[in-house]
Amino acid sequence: MKKILFLCLTMLAFTARSQEDYTGFYAKREASLKSETGWLNLAGLFWLKEGANTIGGAESNDFVFPHAEASLGKVILQNNQVLYNNQVIFTPEGKATVISHQSLRWFIIKRGDKYAIRLRDLEGEYLKAFHGIDHFPADPKWKINAKFIPTVGKKVTIIDVTGRAYEEDSPGLLEFQVDGKTYRLEAGPGETKEDFFVVFGDATNKTSTYGGGRFLDTKGFNPDGTVTLDFNQAYNPPCAFTPFATCPLPTKENKLIIAIPAGEKYAGHH
């Protein structure tokens, strides 16, 4: 009887500890989304034309900023540089300068050979409407060790939600099994050489999860050389929260035919 009680207490302690881990993961995730540099405050994405682009609150501007002064001047794209008020605010090699105006923050991003203004509004509608992230209950079935198969020098074509295509290094394949069947995912570069970033789709997309797939980060190698895929930490791309993001879509290889009821759900945020 004591042995059974001990085992029950041990299992309860493990469950509570696991739940704490995922609670911390989602708390950090929501805090990141709501932060000044998070995705929820995006309020505009404006693709620059060569030469002068006028910005401000008036409808006569090339790009209209919400609740801004009528004219905020000109953003000039020339020779792969972006200038504002006669100062360089972006070069392909440098860090973008963040410009502030009331509750607005904006800066330049580059996608392929195109440049755009990314606008944030610290009082934006998507930030105000956010009430947390819904997710599946944690399930140990979806914490899986995958075999890493190196693919040195391999590049894959990534297409984002705007239809733009670009090449990205793919350091290896992550091969894993579910219910006796083998699946593979193309891994992208992560924060370090031993970390990977995965964009994947599965059979839950467009029903209980986001239609454009989800993201997953891995953290290093296990002692036996495997890589842990914890689908309980699968998360929605920024495009699930705002229409002003440019998210990568899963490659053909990464569109899994199985359903993975783990990680973040999607009920429609915009």
Side-chain angles (χ1 to χ4, degrees), residues 103-140:
S103 67
L104 303 179
R105 307 288 184 270
W106 62 271
F107 53 96
I108 304 301
I109 63 171
K110 186 174 186 289
R111 295 293 182 268
D113 59 351
K114 303 294 184 181
Y115 297 81
I117 296 172
R118 169 159 280 167
L119 179 68
R120 297 184 184 276
D121 184 356
L122 305 188
E123 298 176 358
E125 58 177 312
Y126 299 113
L127 182 60
K128 291 179 178 179
F130 181 70
H131 297 294
I133 303 171
D134 192 16
H135 53 85
F136 294 96
D139 186 344

PDB file of all heavy atoms in Angstrom, residues 103-140:
ATOM      1  N   SER A 103       2.245  57.129 -29.971  1.00  0.00           N
ATOM      2  CA  SER A 103       2.255  55.697 -29.622  1.00  0.00           C
ATOM      3  C   SER A 103       2.809  54.837 -30.748  1.00  0.00           C
ATOM      4  O   SER A 103       2.835  53.609 -30.639  1.00  0.00           O
ATOM      5  CB  SER A 103       0.833  55.222 -29.275  1.00  0.00           C
ATOM      6  OG  SER A 103       0.002  55.263 -30.424  1.00  0.00           O
ATOM      7  N   LEU A 104       3.256  55.465 -31.833  1.00  0.00           N
ATOM      8  CA  LEU A 104       3.742  54.731 -32.998  1.00  0.00           C
ATOM      9  C   LEU A 104       5.251  54.517 -32.954  1.00  0.00           C
ATOM     10  O   LEU A 104       5.996  55.361 -32.447  1.00  0.00           O
ATOM     11  CB  LEU A 104       3.384  55.482 -34.287  1.00  0.00           C
ATOM     12  CG  LEU A 104       1.907  55.785 -34.520  1.00  0.00           C
ATOM     13  CD1 LEU A 104       1.735  56.557 -35.826  1.00  0.00           C
ATOM     14  CD2 LEU A 104       1.085  54.501 -34.540  1.00  0.00           C
ATOM     15  N   ARG A 105       5.676  53.386 -33.466  1.00  0.00           N
ATOM     16  CA  ARG A 105       7.091  53.070 -33.651  1.00  0.00           C
ATOM     17  C   ARG A 105       7.218  52.477 -35.046  1.00  0.00           C
ATOM     18  O   ARG A 105       6.437  51.610 -35.420  1.00  0.00           O
ATOM     19  CB  ARG A 105       7.583  52.053 -32.615  1.00  0.00           C
ATOM     20  CG  ARG A 105       7.312  52.411 -31.157  1.00  0.00           C
ATOM     21  CD  ARG A 105       8.203  53.539 -30.675  1.00  0.00           C
ATOM     22  NE  ARG A 105       7.989  53.791 -29.254  1.00  0.00           N
ATOM     23  CZ  ARG A 105       7.091  54.653 -28.762  1.00  0.00           C
ATOM     24  NH1 ARG A 105       6.303  55.316 -29.619  1.00  0.00           N
ATOM     25  NH2 ARG A 105       6.948  54.827 -27.472  1.00  0.00           N
ATOM     26  N   TRP A 106       8.194  52.914 -35.817  1.00  0.00           N
ATOM     27  CA  TRP A 106       8.355  52.321 -37.137  1.00  0.00           C
ATOM     28  C   TRP A 106       9.818  52.229 -37.524  1.00  0.00           C
ATOM     29  O   TRP A 106      10.659  52.971 -37.038  1.00  0.00           O
ATOM     30  CB  TRP A 106       7.536  53.062 -38.178  1.00  0.00           C
ATOM     31  CG  TRP A 106       7.875  54.518 -38.411  1.00  0.00           C
ATOM     32  CD1 TRP A 106       7.365  55.594 -37.756  1.00  0.00           C
ATOM     33  CD2 TRP A 106       8.794  55.039 -39.377  1.00  0.00           C
ATOM     34  NE1 TRP A 106       7.888  56.759 -38.240  1.00  0.00           N
ATOM     35  CE2 TRP A 106       8.774  56.450 -39.253  1.00  0.00           C
ATOM     36  CE3 TRP A 106       9.614  54.469 -40.344  1.00  0.00           C
ATOM     37  CZ2 TRP A 106       9.542  57.294 -40.035  1.00  0.00           C
ATOM     38  CZ3 TRP A 106      10.395  55.300 -41.142  1.00  0.00           C
ATOM     39  CH2 TRP A 106      10.352  56.691 -40.980  1.00  0.00           C
ATOM     40  N   PHE A 107      10.104  51.276 -38.406  1.00  0.00           N
ATOM     41  CA  PHE A 107      11.466  51.026 -38.848  1.00  0.00           C
ATOM     42  C   PHE A 107      11.395  50.302 -40.194  1.00  0.00           C
ATOM     43  O   PHE A 107      10.311  49.936 -40.665  1.00  0.00           O
ATOM     44  CB  PHE A 107      12.241  50.195 -37.810  1.00  0.00           C
ATOM     45  CG  PHE A 107      11.553  48.927 -37.395  1.00  0.00           C
ATOM     46  CD1 PHE A 107      11.847  47.721 -37.988  1.00  0.00           C
ATOM     47  CD2 PHE A 107      10.574  48.943 -36.391  1.00  0.00           C
ATOM     48  CE1 PHE A 107      11.203  46.554 -37.611  1.00  0.00           C
ATOM     49  CE2 PHE A 107       9.925  47.782 -36.001  1.00  0.00           C
ATOM     50  CZ  PHE A 107      10.237  46.581 -36.619  1.00  0.00           C
ATOM     51  N   ILE A 108      12.533  50.092 -40.797  1.00  0.00           N
ATOM     52  CA  ILE A 108      12.598  49.507 -42.135  1.00  0.00           C
ATOM     53  C   ILE A 108      12.996  48.033 -42.052  1.00  0.00           C
ATOM     54  O   ILE A 108      13.872  47.653 -41.275  1.00  0.00           O
ATOM     55  CB  ILE A 108      13.622  50.263 -43.013  1.00  0.00           C
ATOM     56  CG1 ILE A 108      13.291  51.762 -43.068  1.00  0.00           C
ATOM     57  CG2 ILE A 108      13.654  49.670 -44.425  1.00  0.00           C
ATOM     58  CD1 ILE A 108      11.923  52.090 -43.616  1.00  0.00           C
ATOM     59  N   ILE A 109      12.326  47.204 -42.862  1.00  0.00           N
ATOM     60  CA  ILE A 109      12.726  45.804 -43.002  1.00  0.00           C
ATOM     61  C   ILE A 109      13.013  45.531 -44.481  1.00  0.00           C
ATOM     62  O   ILE A 109      12.546  46.256 -45.360  1.00  0.00           O
ATOM     63  CB  ILE A 109      11.635  44.834 -42.492  1.00  0.00           C
ATOM     64  CG1 ILE A 109      10.345  44.965 -43.321  1.00  0.00           C
ATOM     65  CG2 ILE A 109      11.363  45.048 -41.012  1.00  0.00           C
ATOM     66  CD1 ILE A 109       9.310  43.894 -43.007  1.00  0.00           C
ATOM     67  N   LYS A 110      13.800  44.501 -44.744  1.00  0.00           N
ATOM     68  CA  LYS A 110      14.130  44.105 -46.107  1.00  0.00           C
ATOM     69  C   LYS A 110      13.727  42.658 -46.307  1.00  0.00           C
ATOM     70  O   LYS A 110      14.061  41.794 -45.492  1.00  0.00           O
ATOM     71  CB  LYS A 110      15.640  44.268 -46.364  1.00  0.00           C
ATOM     72  CG  LYS A 110      16.064  44.002 -47.811  1.00  0.00           C
ATOM     73  CD  LYS A 110      17.553  44.334 -47.986  1.00  0.00           C
ATOM     74  CE  LYS A 110      17.977  44.226 -49.453  1.00  0.00           C
ATOM     75  NZ  LYS A 110      18.031  42.858 -49.938  1.00  0.00           N
ATOM     76  N   ARG A 111      12.983  42.392 -47.368  1.00  0.00           N
ATOM     77  CA  ARG A 111      12.558  41.042 -47.708  1.00  0.00           C
ATOM     78  C   ARG A 111      12.917  40.792 -49.169  1.00  0.00           C
ATOM     79  O   ARG A 111      12.326  41.398 -50.054  1.00  0.00           O
ATOM     80  CB  ARG A 111      11.048  40.857 -47.492  1.00  0.00           C
ATOM     81  CG  ARG A 111      10.615  40.982 -46.031  1.00  0.00           C
ATOM     82  CD  ARG A 111      11.161  39.839 -45.197  1.00  0.00           C
ATOM     83  NE  ARG A 111      10.721  39.907 -43.802  1.00  0.00           N
ATOM     84  CZ  ARG A 111      11.393  40.512 -42.835  1.00  0.00           C
ATOM     85  NH1 ARG A 111      12.540  41.121 -43.122  1.00  0.00           N
ATOM     86  NH2 ARG A 111      10.941  40.508 -41.598  1.00  0.00           N
ATOM     87  N   GLY A 112      13.904  39.923 -49.393  1.00  0.00           N
ATOM     88  CA  GLY A 112      14.400  39.734 -50.751  1.00  0.00           C
ATOM     89  C   GLY A 112      15.046  41.017 -51.212  1.00  0.00           C
ATOM     90  O   GLY A 112      15.921  41.567 -50.547  1.00  0.00           O
ATOM     91  N   ASP A 113      14.580  41.552 -52.346  1.00  0.00           N
ATOM     92  CA  ASP A 113      15.115  42.821 -52.827  1.00  0.00           C
ATOM     93  C   ASP A 113      14.145  43.974 -52.567  1.00  0.00           C
ATOM     94  O   ASP A 113      14.285  45.057 -53.136  1.00  0.00           O
ATOM     95  CB  ASP A 113      15.423  42.729 -54.326  1.00  0.00           C
ATOM     96  CG  ASP A 113      14.184  42.385 -55.159  1.00  0.00           C
ATOM     97  OD1 ASP A 113      13.142  42.059 -54.557  1.00  0.00           O
ATOM     98  OD2 ASP A 113      14.274  42.445 -56.399  1.00  0.00           O
ATOM     99  N   LYS A 114      13.166  43.768 -51.708  1.00  0.00           N
ATOM    100  CA  LYS A 114      12.162  44.777 -51.399  1.00  0.00           C
ATOM    101  C   LYS A 114      12.365  45.340 -49.990  1.00  0.00           C
ATOM    102  O   LYS A 114      12.821  44.644 -49.082  1.00  0.00           O
ATOM    103  CB  LYS A 114      10.751  44.199 -51.514  1.00  0.00           C
ATOM    104  CG  LYS A 114      10.420  43.588 -52.876  1.00  0.00           C
ATOM    105  CD  LYS A 114      10.393  44.643 -53.964  1.00  0.00           C
ATOM    106  CE  LYS A 114       9.974  44.036 -55.296  1.00  0.00           C
ATOM    107  NZ  LYS A 114       9.963  45.040 -56.387  1.00  0.00           N
ATOM    108  N   TYR A 115      11.980  46.619 -49.840  1.00  0.00           N
ATOM    109  CA  TYR A 115      12.078  47.304 -48.552  1.00  0.00           C
ATOM    110  C   TYR A 115      10.688  47.751 -48.112  1.00  0.00           C
ATOM    111  O   TYR A 115       9.859  48.131 -48.950  1.00  0.00           O
ATOM    112  CB  TYR A 115      12.989  48.528 -48.650  1.00  0.00           C
ATOM    113  CG  TYR A 115      14.425  48.202 -49.006  1.00  0.00           C
ATOM    114  CD1 TYR A 115      14.795  47.973 -50.326  1.00  0.00           C
ATOM    115  CD2 TYR A 115      15.398  48.133 -48.027  1.00  0.00           C
ATOM    116  CE1 TYR A 115      16.111  47.674 -50.665  1.00  0.00           C
ATOM    117  CE2 TYR A 115      16.721  47.836 -48.344  1.00  0.00           C
ATOM    118  CZ  TYR A 115      17.066  47.607 -49.670  1.00  0.00           C
ATOM    119  OH  TYR A 115      18.368  47.306 -49.990  1.00  0.00           O
ATOM    120  N   ALA A 116      10.445  47.727 -46.813  1.00  0.00           N
ATOM    121  CA  ALA A 116       9.131  48.118 -46.308  1.00  0.00           C
ATOM    122  C   ALA A 116       9.255  48.822 -44.967  1.00  0.00           C
ATOM    123  O   ALA A 116      10.227  48.631 -44.221  1.00  0.00           O
ATOM    124  CB  ALA A 116       8.221  46.893 -46.155  1.00  0.00           C
ATOM    125  N   ILE A 117       8.263  49.666 -44.682  1.00  0.00           N
ATOM    126  CA  ILE A 117       8.120  50.249 -43.342  1.00  0.00           C
ATOM    127  C   ILE A 117       7.291  49.283 -42.511  1.00  0.00           C
ATOM    128  O   ILE A 117       6.182  48.915 -42.903  1.00  0.00           O
ATOM    129  CB  ILE A 117       7.396  51.609 -43.404  1.00  0.00           C
ATOM    130  CG1 ILE A 117       8.224  52.631 -44.179  1.00  0.00           C
ATOM    131  CG2 ILE A 117       7.096  52.105 -41.984  1.00  0.00           C
ATOM    132  CD1 ILE A 117       7.473  53.936 -44.432  1.00  0.00           C
ATOM    133  N   ARG A 118       7.820  48.862 -41.382  1.00  0.00           N
ATOM    134  CA  ARG A 118       7.035  48.072 -40.429  1.00  0.00           C
ATOM    135  C   ARG A 118       6.600  49.018 -39.310  1.00  0.00           C
ATOM    136  O   ARG A 118       7.429  49.629 -38.626  1.00  0.00           O
ATOM    137  CB  ARG A 118       7.853  46.918 -39.867  1.00  0.00           C
ATOM    138  CG  ARG A 118       7.182  46.213 -38.675  1.00  0.00           C
ATOM    139  CD  ARG A 118       7.726  44.824 -38.485  1.00  0.00           C
ATOM    140  NE  ARG A 118       7.094  43.901 -39.432  1.00  0.00           N
ATOM    141  CZ  ARG A 118       7.541  42.673 -39.675  1.00  0.00           C
ATOM    142  NH1 ARG A 118       8.634  42.233 -39.082  1.00  0.00           N
ATOM    143  NH2 ARG A 118       6.890  41.890 -40.525  1.00  0.00           N
ATOM    144  N   LEU A 119       5.295  49.157 -39.168  1.00  0.00           N
ATOM    145  CA  LEU A 119       4.719  50.107 -38.210  1.00  0.00           C
ATOM    146  C   LEU A 119       4.168  49.381 -36.989  1.00  0.00           C
ATOM    147  O   LEU A 119       3.446  48.397 -37.123  1.00  0.00           O
ATOM    148  CB  LEU A 119       3.606  50.908 -38.890  1.00  0.00           C
ATOM    149  CG  LEU A 119       2.863  51.936 -38.027  1.00  0.00           C
ATOM    150  CD1 LEU A 119       3.791  53.084 -37.646  1.00  0.00           C
ATOM    151  CD2 LEU A 119       1.635  52.469 -38.774  1.00  0.00           C
ATOM    152  N   ARG A 120       4.494  49.899 -35.831  1.00  0.00           N
ATOM    153  CA  ARG A 120       3.925  49.412 -34.570  1.00  0.00           C
ATOM    154  C   ARG A 120       3.060  50.504 -33.948  1.00  0.00           C
ATOM    155  O   ARG A 120       3.350  51.692 -34.099  1.00  0.00           O
ATOM    156  CB  ARG A 120       5.024  49.044 -33.568  1.00  0.00           C
ATOM    157  CG  ARG A 120       5.934  47.906 -34.008  1.00  0.00           C
ATOM    158  CD  ARG A 120       6.939  47.562 -32.893  1.00  0.00           C
ATOM    159  NE  ARG A 120       7.886  46.558 -33.289  1.00  0.00           N
ATOM    160  CZ  ARG A 120       7.666  45.245 -33.243  1.00  0.00           C
ATOM    161  NH1 ARG A 120       6.499  44.806 -32.802  1.00  0.00           N
ATOM    162  NH2 ARG A 120       8.592  44.385 -33.614  1.00  0.00           N
ATOM    163  N   ASP A 121       2.026  50.083 -33.256  1.00  0.00           N
ATOM    164  CA  ASP A 121       1.184  50.995 -32.495  1.00  0.00           C
ATOM    165  C   ASP A 121       1.026  50.401 -31.101  1.00  0.00           C
ATOM    166  O   ASP A 121       0.383  49.359 -30.929  1.00  0.00           O
ATOM    167  CB  ASP A 121      -0.181  51.159 -33.166  1.00  0.00           C
ATOM    168  CG  ASP A 121      -1.065  52.182 -32.456  1.00  0.00           C
ATOM    169  OD1 ASP A 121      -0.640  52.697 -31.399  1.00  0.00           O
ATOM    170  OD2 ASP A 121      -2.176  52.463 -32.953  1.00  0.00           O
ATOM    171  N   LEU A 122       1.618  51.046 -30.117  1.00  0.00           N
ATOM    172  CA  LEU A 122       1.585  50.524 -28.750  1.00  0.00           C
ATOM    173  C   LEU A 122       0.191  50.574 -28.142  1.00  0.00           C
ATOM    174  O   LEU A 122      -0.021  50.059 -27.047  1.00  0.00           O
ATOM    175  CB  LEU A 122       2.581  51.296 -27.870  1.00  0.00           C
ATOM    176  CG  LEU A 122       4.026  51.320 -28.378  1.00  0.00           C
ATOM    177  CD1 LEU A 122       4.941  51.942 -27.324  1.00  0.00           C
ATOM    178  CD2 LEU A 122       4.513  49.916 -28.742  1.00  0.00           C
ATOM    179  N   GLU A 123      -0.755  51.173 -28.875  1.00  0.00           N
ATOM    180  CA  GLU A 123      -2.157  51.174 -28.458  1.00  0.00           C
ATOM    181  C   GLU A 123      -3.021  50.530 -29.547  1.00  0.00           C
ATOM    182  O   GLU A 123      -4.199  50.853 -29.711  1.00  0.00           O
ATOM    183  CB  GLU A 123      -2.627  52.611 -28.193  1.00  0.00           C
ATOM    184  CG  GLU A 123      -1.859  53.294 -27.058  1.00  0.00           C
ATOM    185  CD  GLU A 123      -2.258  54.748 -26.866  1.00  0.00           C
ATOM    186  OE1 GLU A 123      -3.118  55.226 -27.644  1.00  0.00           O
ATOM    187  OE2 GLU A 123      -1.708  55.391 -25.958  1.00  0.00           O
ATOM    188  N   GLY A 124      -2.436  49.591 -30.283  1.00  0.00           N
ATOM    189  CA  GLY A 124      -3.095  48.988 -31.433  1.00  0.00           C
ATOM    190  C   GLY A 124      -4.238  48.050 -31.084  1.00  0.00           C
ATOM    191  O   GLY A 124      -4.329  47.528 -29.967  1.00  0.00           O
ATOM    192  N   GLU A 125      -5.101  47.802 -32.079  1.00  0.00           N
ATOM    193  CA  GLU A 125      -6.316  47.016 -31.864  1.00  0.00           C
ATOM    194  C   GLU A 125      -6.032  45.555 -31.532  1.00  0.00           C
ATOM    195  O   GLU A 125      -6.725  44.946 -30.723  1.00  0.00           O
ATOM    196  CB  GLU A 125      -7.218  47.088 -33.099  1.00  0.00           C
ATOM    197  CG  GLU A 125      -6.570  46.609 -34.389  1.00  0.00           C
ATOM    198  CD  GLU A 125      -7.519  46.641 -35.575  1.00  0.00           C
ATOM    199  OE1 GLU A 125      -8.652  46.154 -35.432  1.00  0.00           O
ATOM    200  OE2 GLU A 125      -7.117  47.138 -36.633  1.00  0.00           O
ATOM    201  N   TYR A 126      -5.018  44.962 -32.152  1.00  0.00           N
ATOM    202  CA  TYR A 126      -4.741  43.542 -31.912  1.00  0.00           C
ATOM    203  C   TYR A 126      -4.157  43.329 -30.516  1.00  0.00           C
ATOM    204  O   TYR A 126      -4.417  42.316 -29.874  1.00  0.00           O
ATOM    205  CB  TYR A 126      -3.799  42.989 -32.985  1.00  0.00           C
ATOM    206  CG  TYR A 126      -4.392  43.097 -34.367  1.00  0.00           C
ATOM    207  CD1 TYR A 126      -3.843  43.956 -35.322  1.00  0.00           C
ATOM    208  CD2 TYR A 126      -5.523  42.362 -34.716  1.00  0.00           C
ATOM    209  CE1 TYR A 126      -4.406  44.073 -36.580  1.00  0.00           C
ATOM    210  CE2 TYR A 126      -6.100  42.480 -35.969  1.00  0.00           C
ATOM    211  CZ  TYR A 126      -5.539  43.337 -36.898  1.00  0.00           C
ATOM    212  OH  TYR A 126      -6.098  43.460 -38.141  1.00  0.00           O
ATOM    213  N   LEU A 127      -3.392  44.300 -30.050  1.00  0.00           N
ATOM    214  CA  LEU A 127      -2.855  44.228 -28.691  1.00  0.00           C
ATOM    215  C   LEU A 127      -3.982  44.333 -27.666  1.00  0.00           C
ATOM    216  O   LEU A 127      -4.035  43.554 -26.708  1.00  0.00           O
ATOM    217  CB  LEU A 127      -1.842  45.357 -28.486  1.00  0.00           C
ATOM    218  CG  LEU A 127      -1.132  45.421 -27.136  1.00  0.00           C
ATOM    219  CD1 LEU A 127      -0.350  44.142 -26.873  1.00  0.00           C
ATOM    220  CD2 LEU A 127      -0.201  46.625 -27.081  1.00  0.00           C
ATOM    221  N   LYS A 128      -4.896  45.257 -27.892  1.00  0.00           N
ATOM    222  CA  LYS A 128      -6.022  45.435 -26.962  1.00  0.00           C
ATOM    223  C   LYS A 128      -6.966  44.238 -26.960  1.00  0.00           C
ATOM    224  O   LYS A 128      -7.578  43.912 -25.943  1.00  0.00           O
ATOM    225  CB  LYS A 128      -6.795  46.703 -27.317  1.00  0.00           C
ATOM    226  CG  LYS A 128      -6.030  47.997 -27.043  1.00  0.00           C
ATOM    227  CD  LYS A 128      -6.859  49.208 -27.437  1.00  0.00           C
ATOM    228  CE  LYS A 128      -6.126  50.503 -27.132  1.00  0.00           C
ATOM    229  NZ  LYS A 128      -6.911  51.699 -27.542  1.00  0.00           N
ATOM    230  N   ALA A 129      -7.097  43.573 -28.108  1.00  0.00           N
ATOM    231  CA  ALA A 129      -8.045  42.457 -28.233  1.00  0.00           C
ATOM    232  C   ALA A 129      -7.467  41.128 -27.760  1.00  0.00           C
ATOM    233  O   ALA A 129      -8.200  40.133 -27.686  1.00  0.00           O
ATOM    234  CB  ALA A 129      -8.499  42.331 -29.681  1.00  0.00           C
ATOM    235  N   PHE A 130      -6.197  41.106 -27.426  1.00  0.00           N
ATOM    236  CA  PHE A 130      -5.547  39.842 -27.046  1.00  0.00           C
ATOM    237  C   PHE A 130      -5.959  39.403 -25.645  1.00  0.00           C
ATOM    238  O   PHE A 130      -5.884  40.179 -24.694  1.00  0.00           O
ATOM    239  CB  PHE A 130      -4.027  40.011 -27.111  1.00  0.00           C
ATOM    240  CG  PHE A 130      -3.258  38.769 -26.775  1.00  0.00           C
ATOM    241  CD1 PHE A 130      -3.261  37.681 -27.625  1.00  0.00           C
ATOM    242  CD2 PHE A 130      -2.521  38.692 -25.599  1.00  0.00           C
ATOM    243  CE1 PHE A 130      -2.539  36.540 -27.329  1.00  0.00           C
ATOM    244  CE2 PHE A 130      -1.796  37.562 -25.291  1.00  0.00           C
ATOM    245  CZ  PHE A 130      -1.806  36.483 -26.157  1.00  0.00           C
ATOM    246  N   HIS A 131      -6.399  38.140 -25.528  1.00  0.00           N
ATOM    247  CA  HIS A 131      -6.818  37.609 -24.230  1.00  0.00           C
ATOM    248  C   HIS A 131      -6.156  36.264 -23.927  1.00  0.00           C
ATOM    249  O   HIS A 131      -6.732  35.409 -23.263  1.00  0.00           O
ATOM    250  CB  HIS A 131      -8.342  37.463 -24.182  1.00  0.00           C
ATOM    251  CG  HIS A 131      -9.071  38.761 -24.318  1.00  0.00           C
ATOM    252  ND1 HIS A 131      -9.002  39.770 -23.374  1.00  0.00           N
ATOM    253  CD2 HIS A 131      -9.873  39.246 -25.314  1.00  0.00           C
ATOM    254  CE1 HIS A 131      -9.738  40.799 -23.756  1.00  0.00           C
ATOM    255  NE2 HIS A 131     -10.273  40.507 -24.937  1.00  0.00           N
ATOM    256  N   GLY A 132      -4.953  36.082 -24.429  1.00  0.00           N
ATOM    257  CA  GLY A 132      -4.226  34.852 -24.132  1.00  0.00           C
ATOM    258  C   GLY A 132      -4.240  33.869 -25.298  1.00  0.00           C
ATOM    259  O   GLY A 132      -4.902  34.084 -26.314  1.00  0.00           O
ATOM    260  N   ILE A 133      -3.497  32.784 -25.122  1.00  0.00           N
ATOM    261  CA  ILE A 133      -3.352  31.760 -26.155  1.00  0.00           C
ATOM    262  C   ILE A 133      -4.020  30.469 -25.694  1.00  0.00           C
ATOM    263  O   ILE A 133      -3.774  30.005 -24.586  1.00  0.00           O
ATOM    264  CB  ILE A 133      -1.864  31.471 -26.434  1.00  0.00           C
ATOM    265  CG1 ILE A 133      -1.135  32.762 -26.838  1.00  0.00           C
ATOM    266  CG2 ILE A 133      -1.714  30.424 -27.530  1.00  0.00           C
ATOM    267  CD1 ILE A 133       0.362  32.596 -26.925  1.00  0.00           C
ATOM    268  N   ASP A 134      -4.853  29.908 -26.552  1.00  0.00           N
ATOM    269  CA  ASP A 134      -5.437  28.605 -26.257  1.00  0.00           C
ATOM    270  C   ASP A 134      -4.493  27.516 -26.763  1.00  0.00           C
ATOM    271  O   ASP A 134      -3.855  27.679 -27.812  1.00  0.00           O
ATOM    272  CB  ASP A 134      -6.798  28.483 -26.942  1.00  0.00           C
ATOM    273  CG  ASP A 134      -7.592  27.270 -26.457  1.00  0.00           C
ATOM    274  OD1 ASP A 134      -7.228  26.711 -25.402  1.00  0.00           O
ATOM    275  OD2 ASP A 134      -8.561  26.887 -27.137  1.00  0.00           O
ATOM    276  N   HIS A 135      -4.399  26.440 -26.023  1.00  0.00           N
ATOM    277  CA  HIS A 135      -3.492  25.361 -26.440  1.00  0.00           C
ATOM    278  C   HIS A 135      -4.022  24.007 -25.979  1.00  0.00           C
ATOM    279  O   HIS A 135      -4.872  23.915 -25.092  1.00  0.00           O
ATOM    280  CB  HIS A 135      -2.078  25.589 -25.907  1.00  0.00           C
ATOM    281  CG  HIS A 135      -2.020  25.820 -24.422  1.00  0.00           C
ATOM    282  ND1 HIS A 135      -1.977  24.799 -23.506  1.00  0.00           N
ATOM    283  CD2 HIS A 135      -2.005  26.973 -23.698  1.00  0.00           C
ATOM    284  CE1 HIS A 135      -1.928  25.296 -22.289  1.00  0.00           C
ATOM    285  NE2 HIS A 135      -1.950  26.615 -22.373  1.00  0.00           N
ATOM    286  N   PHE A 136      -3.527  22.964 -26.601  1.00  0.00           N
ATOM    287  CA  PHE A 136      -3.909  21.606 -26.226  1.00  0.00           C
ATOM    288  C   PHE A 136      -3.316  21.262 -24.859  1.00  0.00           C
ATOM    289  O   PHE A 136      -2.268  21.795 -24.481  1.00  0.00           O
ATOM    290  CB  PHE A 136      -3.375  20.602 -27.248  1.00  0.00           C
ATOM    291  CG  PHE A 136      -3.982  20.713 -28.617  1.00  0.00           C
ATOM    292  CD1 PHE A 136      -3.347  21.442 -29.613  1.00  0.00           C
ATOM    293  CD2 PHE A 136      -5.182  20.087 -28.913  1.00  0.00           C
ATOM    294  CE1 PHE A 136      -3.888  21.540 -30.891  1.00  0.00           C
ATOM    295  CE2 PHE A 136      -5.745  20.181 -30.186  1.00  0.00           C
ATOM    296  CZ  PHE A 136      -5.097  20.909 -31.175  1.00  0.00           C
ATOM    297  N   PRO A 137      -3.953  20.355 -24.104  1.00  0.00           N
ATOM    298  CA  PRO A 137      -3.339  19.866 -22.866  1.00  0.00           C
ATOM    299  C   PRO A 137      -2.002  19.189 -23.187  1.00  0.00           C
ATOM    300  O   PRO A 137      -1.859  18.534 -24.225  1.00  0.00           O
ATOM    301  CB  PRO A 137      -4.351  18.850 -22.331  1.00  0.00           C
ATOM    302  CG  PRO A 137      -5.639  19.204 -23.005  1.00  0.00           C
ATOM    303  CD  PRO A 137      -5.277  19.747 -24.351  1.00  0.00           C
ATOM    304  N   ALA A 138      -1.025  19.371 -22.321  1.00  0.00           N
ATOM    305  CA  ALA A 138       0.282  18.744 -22.535  1.00  0.00           C
ATOM    306  C   ALA A 138       0.136  17.225 -22.591  1.00  0.00           C
ATOM    307  O   ALA A 138      -0.607  16.625 -21.813  1.00  0.00           O
ATOM    308  CB  ALA A 138       1.238  19.130 -21.408  1.00  0.00           C
ATOM    309  N   ASP A 139       0.830  16.611 -23.539  1.00  0.00           N
ATOM    310  CA  ASP A 139       0.757  15.164 -23.731  1.00  0.00           C
ATOM    311  C   ASP A 139       2.167  14.641 -24.000  1.00  0.00           C
ATOM    312  O   ASP A 139       2.783  15.016 -25.003  1.00  0.00           O
ATOM    313  CB  ASP A 139      -0.160  14.853 -24.913  1.00  0.00           C
ATOM    314  CG  ASP A 139      -0.413  13.356 -25.100  1.00  0.00           C
ATOM    315  OD1 ASP A 139       0.348  12.542 -24.530  1.00  0.00           O
ATOM    316  OD2 ASP A 139      -1.374  13.008 -25.824  1.00  0.00           O
ATOM    317  N   PRO A 140       2.682  13.766 -23.117  1.00  0.00           N
ATOM    318  CA  PRO A 140       4.052  13.255 -23.308  1.00  0.00           C
ATOM    319  C   PRO A 140       4.250  12.513 -24.622  1.00  0.00           C
ATOM    320  O   PRO A 140       5.376  12.349 -25.076  1.00  0.00           O
ATOM    321  CB  PRO A 140       4.261  12.333 -22.096  1.00  0.00           C
ATOM    322  CG  PRO A 140       2.884  12.014 -21.594  1.00  0.00           C
ATOM    323  CD  PRO A 140       2.058  13.212 -21.897  1.00  0.00           C
TER     324      PRO A 140
END
